[in-house]
Amino acid sequence: VSPRLTRAEKMKTWIVLLLWACAHQSVNAVALSRGPVRRKTKEIEGRQDKDLLRRSKRGWMWRQFFLQEEYTGTEHQYIGKLHSDMDKGDGTVMYVLAGDGAGTIFVIDSNSGDLHATRSLDREEKPFYTLRAQVVNKKTGLPLEPETEFTVKLHDINDNEPKFDKEVYTASVPERSHIGTYVTQVTAQDADDEMFGYSAKLSYSISQGHPYFSVEPNTGIIRTALGPSDMDREQREHYQVVIEAKDMAGQKGGLTGTTTVNISLTDVNDNPPRFMQSIYQFSVPEITKVGSSVGRIRAVDADVSRNAEMDYTVVGGDGLDVFDVSTDRNTQEGILSLKKPLDYEKKKSYTLQIQVQNTHPDPRFLSSDAKDMATIRVSVEDVDEPPQFEKISYILEVKEDAAVGTVIGSVSAVDPDIRRSPVKYSIDRHTDVDRVFGVYAGNGSIFLQRPLDREEFAWHNISVIATEFNNPEQTSRVPVYIRVLDVNDNPPMLASFYETFVCENAKAGQKIQTISAVDPDDPVGGHRFLFSLAPESSVRANFSVRDNGDNTAGIFTRRTGFGRMHKMAVVISDGHIPMQSSTGTLTIRVCTCDRDGNMEMCNAEALSSAAGLSTGALVAILLCILILLLIVVLFAALKRQKKKEPLIISKEDVRDNVVSYNDEGGGEEDTQAFDIGALRHPEVMEESKLRRDILPSESLYPPPPLRRTLVPSRENADVRDFINQRVQENDGNPTAPPYDSLATYAYEGNGSVAESLSSLGSVSSEGEQDYNYLSEWGPRFRKLADMYGGEDSDWDS
């Protein structure tokens, strides 16, 4: 198959091929060189498949067609003509098309081989299509030659405008930058074929942002266009630049796309801080505490962030050692604070010179002496101050034997104000609860009000209050520490209770005990105790005392052979003035010892003394025994006592109570509402048990056919006597049930079966009963008589 083209189509195709050959000479050379090879290969294939196909001579063949994209015509767009040497024009052959879009996008005239496109195509959607054509016998449908593959390429037209990667770019550049400083780069893309013409050749230009910035046409790099003096952030910080990208290398008729670049100037430290005013004035009360803030000063810096940080310094004035200034890092304000206490009476005003400068100066833009100065004037305000003591604390000393009323020292305070108000003194009694000390209100002299004892309290800490006479609210206090000096007023005593033993065969001059002493006093040079034998123990003394000179003494035997317990009095004295002494008694027990002097057994007197208990221990033991006996007696008494409970605990809930008198009978334990019919005579028992605690009704009990007069019997007389006795007991008992209570009594007669005592059981009796006698029993039964007596008549009627 070979294409057949018209003259105009051939000219157009040749022009396109020449342009294409210039750009792709090497590619076309390779493509043309494949023609003979393909024929040779086909000849080999023909030999191998000679049974199916017969090798035939074909004409020269085009490998590709060209088609312009975005066709806008109404008819099918003509592409070219396919022709085969096998086609003799007699209509026996048929052209068949296969491949990309065959039959839908591309159609071929089966008789003539004309190739058309059925619709408009977009190169950006698909740049080329690969198709296959073949000639077959129209009658048999057998191919007359092998398939020929060719390509339909779309010619690009400039139908796509450039598009930037971002709709909005954000960039920044330091202020004071030099001309040509890099800012950022923008990039646009064109979907057209960059290999064909200038449809995808882009050129960048700036349409908004002059004269501050410029853009390189080929690269899209944005740079500054003005010098450092014109790029000042403090004058203008934000810029909006519009960049335009145009294809066709920027020539007329090209398509354009735009983007916006927001450029900000970043700050550099090119501005020094400046005070908002040259003189600041403050006033401060003289009682202001050290470290307190006096006031704030403010300097402004046109820079921002780190470049606006500043330091304040006091560089001159008469208050260099009184005031200090620091920087508040949050607000960049200077804080003037107090370093020393103020005194209006000494100095009423101060003048300071304050300097401010950047914390991080940039030598490229600012010199090291870029500073600003301001003056601060501070006035001290006079206030009514409390009295001031001459000292912050006082330490006084007094001997413990000082007499009451003795003055031990004094404190002094004055009013620091100009008017010098008088001061009175007092003691804070929270610090002297026992009122040991007093103070004279006029002169501050502290005196004794009670005797002292160093051994009880060696130090007393009190607070003295000074108050202005004219203004009692102005007070101050000072601690006073009073030390009580020791006086030798306590005699020394034996250090402990000594248990001394001596062997009955001890030799004379043998040491049996070493003793020492204690003294609560605290002499300056330390203790010096002297030990000696008391005069009463010196007569016919069996033992002697030998002072060791180190505040101890040894007890020695003066003879041999001992047979009983001995008592020895030792005099202990100190060596101070006035000398104090005391007598201590040693109990020496005699014991049997072995040859080496080790105790084996003591005599009975010694053993009893050793094994005996002290008086305090015996008293404690006896007291415990007495308490135990008392507990036992109380417990036994409680066991014997029986608490008498009332018959009815609650007088308000007695309607259904049953009072038991410990009499034999079954009425109280009957499960059918206290029926005591079990105690009745069997002859009068009814076959069915009825309720005994409710009033009988006519429906339940028909009236008797005959009313008989009730004849009192012996048994009824006994019952009446029993009931009268119970009535008297209930009338005399304050714990008896109320009037409307129902009490059931059970009584068993002598030698007979007890009848029912309940009036509710009268229906089971052989005859009617007269209830009028109940009214004679008192008010408690009158209501019962009226109720049953009245209802008898109702039953009879």
Side-chain angles (χ1 to χ4, degrees):
V1 179
S2 62
R4 293 289 187 266
L5 304 177
T6 64
R7 183 180 298 271
E9 292 171 347
K10 287 182 179 180
M11 290 297 295
K12 185 177 180 180
T13 303
W14 278 109
I15 293 172
V16 173
L17 288 176
L18 288 175
L19 292 175
W20 185 266
C22 292
H24 307 284
Q25 182 178 359
S26 60
V27 177
N28 289 339
V30 173
L32 293 174
S33 64
R34 290 178 179 176
V37 176
R38 183 172 179 83
R39 289 193 185 98
K40 188 175 183 180
T41 302
K42 291 299 181 179
E43 291 176 1
I44 297 174
E45 292 176 355
R47 295 192 188 101
Q48 293 176 354
D49 302 332
K50 59 183 179 179
D51 295 336
L52 298 176
L53 296 175
R54 177 176 296 177
R55 180 178 178 272
S56 60
K57 182 179 179 181
R58 291 181 296 171
W60 189 67
M61 178 181 59
W62 291 98
R63 292 289 183 181
Q64 58 186 1
F65 289 95
F66 293 92
L67 180 66
Q68 187 175 1
E69 66 169 336
E70 304 294 346
Y71 174 71
T72 59
T74 59
E75 297 181 356
H76 289 179
Q77 187 178 5
Y78 181 75
I79 300 176
K81 186 178 183 65
L82 299 180
H83 182 74
S84 174
D85 295 340
M86 302 301 295
D87 186 4
K88 303 301 182 179
D90 53 1
T92 60
V93 298
M94 181 176 61
Y95 294 92
V96 179
L97 186 67
D100 295 340
T104 56
I105 300 176
F106 302 100
V107 294
I108 189 172
D109 189 337
S110 60
N111 295 320
S112 63
D114 292 335
L115 185 63
H116 293 83
T118 60
R119 61 181 176 84
S120 176
L121 300 179
D122 187 1
R123 189 201 67 84
E124 287 71 33
E125 181 180 350
K126 189 175 179 64
F128 64 90
Y129 297 85
T130 302
L131 300 172
R132 300 185 304 278
Q134 192 176 32
V135 178
V136 298
N137 190 295
K138 186 179 291 186
K139 293 182 180 181
T140 63
L142 296 176
L144 301 179
E145 62 181 14
E147 285 185 337
T148 299
E149 185 179 275
F150 62 95
T151 301
V152 177
K153 289 188 176 182
L154 299 179
H155 275 171
D156 181 47
I157 62 174
N158 191 14
D159 59 343
N160 292 280
E161 70 277 3
K163 292 185 178 180
F164 285 91
D165 296 340
K166 299 179 182 178
E167 293 184 0
V168 178
Y169 289 81
T170 302
S172 62
V173 62
E175 64 172 331
R176 304 284 183 180
S177 297
H178 295 282
I179 298 176
T181 302
Y182 174 86
V183 179
T184 188
Q185 184 178 13
V186 296
T187 304
Q189 306 293 336
D190 196 322
D192 294 327
D193 188 2
E194 62 181 7
M195 303 299 296
F196 183 78
Y198 293 99
S199 297
K201 182 66 175 178
L202 303 181
S203 177
Y204 300 94
S205 61
I206 183 169
S207 61
Q208 179 182 328
H210 292 293
Y212 303 99
F213 301 95
S214 62
V215 63
E216 295 180 358
N218 298 326
T219 61
I221 295 176
I222 302 174
R223 300 182 184 273
T224 58
L226 295 179
S229 60
D230 298 318
M231 305 295 289
D232 190 359
R233 188 199 65 83
E234 287 72 34
Q235 295 181 2
R236 183 177 178 182
E237 182 177 1
H238 302 289
Y239 297 84
Q240 190 175 73
V241 179
V242 177
I243 302 298
E244 182 181 275
K246 189 174 184 180
D247 57 13
M248 299 299 294
Q251 298 177 6
K252 187 177 180 179
L255 302 179
T256 60
T258 60
T259 186
T260 301
V261 183
N262 294 323
I263 301 175
S264 300
L265 297 183
T266 58
D267 185 59
V268 297
N269 195 358
D270 58 342
N271 294 280
R274 294 283 182 246
F275 280 108
M276 299 184 66
Q277 58 193 72
S278 60
I279 298 177
Y280 295 85
Q281 292 185 349
F282 299 103
S283 60
V284 55
E286 62 176 330
I287 60 174
T288 303
K289 294 183 179 180
V290 174
S292 300
S293 173
V294 176
R296 287 175 175 252
I297 56 178
R298 181 181 177 85
V300 295
D301 192 332
D303 297 323
V304 295
S305 186
R306 187 173 184 268
N307 297 324
E309 295 180 2
M310 58 191 75
D311 293 326
Y312 297 87
T313 311
V314 180
V315 295
D318 56 0
L320 281 172
D321 57 342
V322 180
F323 297 94
D324 192 13
V325 65
S326 59
T327 303
D328 186 343
R329 292 303 175 189
N330 294 325
T331 63
Q332 298 303 317
E333 293 178 326
I335 304 174
L336 186 65
S337 58
L338 192 63
K339 290 174 59 178
K340 290 185 177 180
L342 300 175
D343 191 350
Y344 175 81
E345 288 72 27
K346 294 181 179 180
K347 192 171 180 61
K348 298 178 176 58
S349 64
Y350 296 88
T351 301
L352 303 172
Q353 296 296 324
I354 304 296
Q355 173 185 284
V356 63
Q357 61 181 356
N358 280 125
T359 306
H360 311 286
D362 192 340
R364 298 177 301 170
F365 308 103
L366 293 177
S367 60
S368 59
D369 58 349
K371 305 171 183 176
D372 196 18
M373 302 289 292
T375 302
I376 298 179
R377 294 175 182 172
V378 182
S379 300
V380 181
E381 296 178 353
D382 185 26
V383 295
D384 189 4
E385 299 177 83
Q388 293 182 357
F389 285 93
E390 294 180 351
K391 300 179 181 179
I392 59 175
S393 63
Y394 291 84
I395 299 178
L396 305 178
E397 293 182 348
V398 59
K399 291 186 177 182
E400 63 177 325
D401 61 349
V404 174
T406 301
V407 176
I408 62 177
S410 63
V411 297
S412 178
V414 295
D415 183 9
D417 298 324
I418 295 178
R419 58 176 178 266
R420 298 296 181 183
S421 175
V423 177
K424 61 179 180 180
Y425 303 91
S426 61
I427 292 179
D428 185 358
R429 290 307 173 186
H430 293 93
T431 61
D432 185 21
V433 179
D434 297 332
R435 297 181 177 270
V436 180
F437 303 96
V439 62
Y440 291 109
N443 58 12
S445 297
I446 301 175
F447 60 92
L448 283 178
Q449 294 188 151
R450 287 191 176 186
L452 299 174
D453 187 0
R454 190 206 64 84
E455 287 71 36
E456 184 178 0
F457 295 105
W459 285 88
H460 294 268
N461 302 329
I462 64 175
S463 293
V464 177
I465 301 174
T467 306
E468 289 187 12
F469 272 104
N470 299 331
N471 187 3
E473 294 182 357
Q474 296 296 333
T475 62
S476 60
R477 61 179 60 218
V478 67
V480 179
Y481 308 105
I482 302 174
R483 179 184 179 186
V484 182
L485 300 178
D486 184 52
V487 175
N488 192 22
D489 57 348
N490 293 281
M493 302 178 64
L494 288 175
S496 63
F497 176 77
Y498 293 96
E499 295 183 356
T500 306
F501 301 90
V502 62
C503 296
E504 58 182 358
N505 57 353
K507 298 179 181 180
Q510 184 177 347
K511 183 179 179 179
I512 62 173
Q513 184 70 56
T514 299
I515 60 176
S516 62
V518 293
D519 192 341
D521 292 328
D522 186 17
V524 177
H527 291 290
R528 176 67 181 93
F529 300 130
L530 302 176
F531 300 89
S532 62
L533 198 61
E536 60 269 20
S537 299
S538 300
V539 180
R540 300 180 62 184
N542 296 315
F543 304 94
S544 62
V545 178
R546 186 180 302 171
D547 196 331
N548 297 327
D550 58 354
N551 293 334
T552 63
I555 307 300
F556 293 86
T557 60
R558 298 185 64 178
R559 64 180 181 85
T560 183
F562 298 92
R564 61 182 178 83
M565 184 173 66
H566 299 272
K567 298 249 183 220
M568 176 181 178
V570 179
V571 177
I572 309 169
S573 60
D574 54 27
H576 303 285
I577 299 174
M579 179 177 290
Q580 301 288 339
S581 64
S582 66
T583 301
T585 302
L586 294 178
T587 301
I588 303 174
R589 287 175 281 185
V590 180
C591 301
T592 302
C593 303
D594 57 12
R595 293 181 179 180
D596 298 330
N598 298 321
M599 181 184 65
E600 292 182 347
M601 184 181 65
C602 293
N603 55 30
E605 185 179 6
L607 289 174
S608 63
S609 176
L613 296 174
S614 63
T615 304
L618 291 175
V619 171
I621 293 174
L622 292 176
L623 184 60
C624 293
I625 294 174
L626 182 61
I627 292 173
L628 291 175
L629 291 175
L630 182 61
I631 293 173
V632 171
V633 171
L634 290 175
F635 184 79
L638 291 174
K639 277 292 187 178
R640 295 193 190 98
Q641 183 180 1
K642 290 185 178 180
K643 185 176 179 182
K644 183 177 182 181
E645 296 182 354
L647 182 63
I648 299 178
I649 297 176
S650 176
K651 295 184 178 181
E652 297 178 0
D653 188 13
V654 295
R655 183 166 53 86
D656 294 331
N657 284 300
V658 178
V659 181
S660 174
Y661 292 95
N662 296 326
D663 292 329
E664 292 185 3
E668 292 84 358
E669 297 179 0
D670 189 54
T671 58
Q672 293 190 5
F674 318 120
D675 184 11
I676 57 175
L679 299 178
R680 294 182 178 274
H681 196 278
E683 297 178 357
V684 299
M685 289 292 291
E686 296 179 356
E687 295 181 359
S688 61
K689 295 184 179 180
L690 303 177
R691 293 288 299 265
R692 306 290 183 177
D693 57 339
I694 60 175
L695 184 67
S697 61
E698 295 181 0
S699 61
L700 294 177
Y701 304 100
L706 178 64
R707 183 177 181 88
R708 297 181 297 176
T709 302
L710 183 63
V711 179
S713 63
R714 175 62 182 169
E715 294 180 355
N716 290 337
D718 294 339
V719 171
R720 184 177 295 107
D721 294 338
F722 176 76
I723 291 176
N724 290 333
Q725 181 182 357
R726 290 302 187 189
V727 168
Q728 294 178 3
E729 290 179 359
N730 278 275
D731 289 340
N733 188 1
T735 61
Y739 302 32
D740 55 352
S741 297
L742 176 62
T744 302
Y745 304 96
Y747 175 74
E748 186 176 357
N750 295 327
S752 64
V753 180
E755 294 287 338
S756 174
L757 301 180
S758 174
S759 60
L760 301 178
S762 60
V763 72
S764 61
S765 61
E766 297 179 355
E768 298 293 334
Q769 296 186 12
D770 185 8
Y771 295 97
N772 294 327
Y773 65 88
L774 294 176
S775 60
E776 300 175 359
W777 292 357
R780 300 192 180 191
F781 293 89
R782 185 174 298 126
K783 184 176 181 180
L784 189 63
D786 295 340
M787 180 175 65
Y788 285 93
E791 290 180 359
D792 285 342
S793 60
D794 295 337
W795 292 349
D796 295 336
S797 58

